[in-house]
Amino acid sequence: MGKALEGSILCYVFRANMRRLATFENEIRWPRRVLTLTEAVKYIDATGYCMLFPVRNVPLPSLYYAVTRRGLQGEWKWDKYSSMVWRWKDELPRRRRAVYAKYFRGRGTFISLKFLPYFLTMEGSAVAEGDHDGFYAEGRIRDDCRIIWEALEEHGPLATLELRNACKMDTKAGNIRFKRAILELQCMLIVVHFGAEQETNAWASGRYELMRRAFAKQTEAARQLSSEDARTWLAAKFRERNPDASPTHLTRLFGWLKAEAAAAWEGTMRPSRVPGQRKASQ
């Protein structure tokens, strides 16, 4: 596919889907426009976790705004800045510089390597080989999720069409099942976006890999944490950007119980619970 045609298609898709979802009240004014992959990593590391594009009702900044310095409600332009953002969502996880998955509200999300263990602990997703059977037996995943998980465990990272074929989900109905299951696995942080592959003459397909293999070091680190500490760390980063927020914002964003959100929020006010705050307070 030519770049002009690809840009035209992407322009249409984003204009149709993103304008109604976008908001800009949560964006942060980065000191300079993000223009390189290394700068994108620094931005993601600084935010801890952020969105690919701004999304209404998700009070997080976006890499798109940091790169383009413009909003999605206005006139959409497919240019070098838009192209960079779209390319980096594939390159960052493939190079293991940041995680990209459809996490918050099922929308594109970046998670820094430092904060990934806290997310994995919170989700109970620091899994080991063969855990798909246990997750299925406990009712934590549906059968389609188990099939995809098992296929990736057996074959390694696969592009979308290869994975659908391996899972015998290559029909139209199978594609619907696949999309639902792969989204669920990303929201659980079991599966991660792991680059792109040109499978057809259309635009490139996403590649998927198991989180435990793609980010093994962070998965191991997650096994050493408690859920309470993980939530406190995540709450502390959120509060750093949103000092006037409340535990209710955490409940809405992360889906925590009210008691969990309240405990995490209280934990952020005790420097001994958050190492970064402890150092700053000394």
Side-chain angles (χ1 to χ4, degrees):
M1 176 186 291
K3 290 185 177 180
L5 179 57
E6 180 182 19
S8 178
I9 293 174
L10 287 172
C11 176
Y12 174 79
V13 172
F14 292 146
R15 187 165 54 210
N17 294 315
M18 297 298 179
R19 286 179 65 181
R20 66 184 177 82
L21 295 170
T23 182
F24 301 97
E25 59 189 20
N26 306 301
E27 301 295 354
I28 58 177
R29 189 70 177 178
W30 200 238
R32 53 172 291 177
R33 186 196 294 264
V34 173
L35 294 176
T36 68
L37 189 76
T38 298
E39 290 173 349
V41 173
K42 289 181 180 179
Y43 177 83
I44 295 168
D45 286 346
T47 63
Y49 44 94
C50 64
M51 306 304 292
L52 172 63
F53 296 108
V55 178
R56 183 174 292 118
N57 295 327
V58 178
L60 298 176
S62 68
L63 182 60
Y64 175 85
Y65 184 84
V67 173
T68 66
R69 290 291 175 86
R70 61 176 182 259
L72 292 173
Q73 295 109 322
E75 180 183 358
W76 172 261
K77 293 191 298 183
W78 182 259
D79 56 14
K80 65 178 182 179
Y81 301 119
S82 309
S83 181
M84 281 193 297
V85 177
W86 190 249
R87 186 173 68 250
W88 289 345
K89 77 175 179 17
D90 300 320
E91 292 185 22
L92 285 166
R94 180 176 59 81
R95 298 187 186 190
R96 294 181 169 87
R97 303 293 301 280
V99 171
Y100 175 74
K102 292 184 177 179
Y103 183 73
F104 289 110
R105 302 288 191 276
R107 312 296 298 187
T109 305
F110 289 106
I111 300 173
S112 75
L113 299 189
K114 177 182 177 180
F115 275 81
L116 178 58
Y118 308 130
F119 277 90
L120 294 177
T121 298
M122 176 188 67
E123 293 288 349
S125 299
V127 300
E129 184 176 358
D131 277 356
H132 47 76
D133 288 333
F135 270 58
Y136 178 66
E138 295 168 5
R140 294 186 62 184
I141 57 173
R142 66 181 74 227
D143 193 45
D144 287 340
C145 293
R146 182 192 61 79
I147 292 170
I148 293 174
W149 185 344
E150 191 171 24
L152 289 172
E153 193 159 272
E154 179 180 354
H155 300 291
L158 293 173
T160 300
L161 295 181
E162 291 179 302
L163 183 54
R164 285 178 55 198
N165 288 335
C167 297
K168 295 181 172 54
M169 297 182 187
D170 46 3
T171 64
K172 185 175 181 180
N175 187 37
I176 294 174
R177 292 165 48 210
F178 175 83
K179 287 181 176 180
R180 180 174 63 179
I182 200 69
L183 179 61
E184 289 181 14
L185 288 169
Q186 288 183 81
C187 287
M188 296 177 71
L189 298 177
I190 299 294
V191 168
V192 63
H193 186 84
F194 204 58
E197 187 172 318
Q198 199 70 47
E199 295 186 287
T200 68
N201 291 329
W203 55 16
S205 303
R207 294 177 79 238
Y208 298 100
E209 171 63 305
L210 295 177
M211 182 74 77
R212 70 170 184 82
R213 279 201 304 240
F215 298 94
K217 181 180 178 181
Q218 289 74 25
T219 300
E220 179 59 33
R223 299 186 182 119
Q224 314 307 316
L225 298 168
S226 70
S227 296
E228 182 181 10
D229 285 344
R231 285 192 293 268
T232 298
W233 267 95
L234 294 172
K237 175 55 72 173
F238 182 82
R239 189 170 188 175
E240 178 184 300
R241 291 194 303 264
N242 304 276
D244 296 327
S246 70
T248 301
H249 291 88
L250 298 177
T251 299
R252 293 171 180 168
L253 179 63
F254 291 102
W256 297 342
L257 298 175
K258 290 183 179 180
E260 293 173 338
W265 197 257
E266 181 183 353
T268 67
M269 293 184 282
R270 286 181 282 149
S272 61
R273 289 292 311 281
V274 184
Q277 291 184 2
R278 184 192 313 128
K279 182 178 180 180
S281 65
Q282 292 175 347

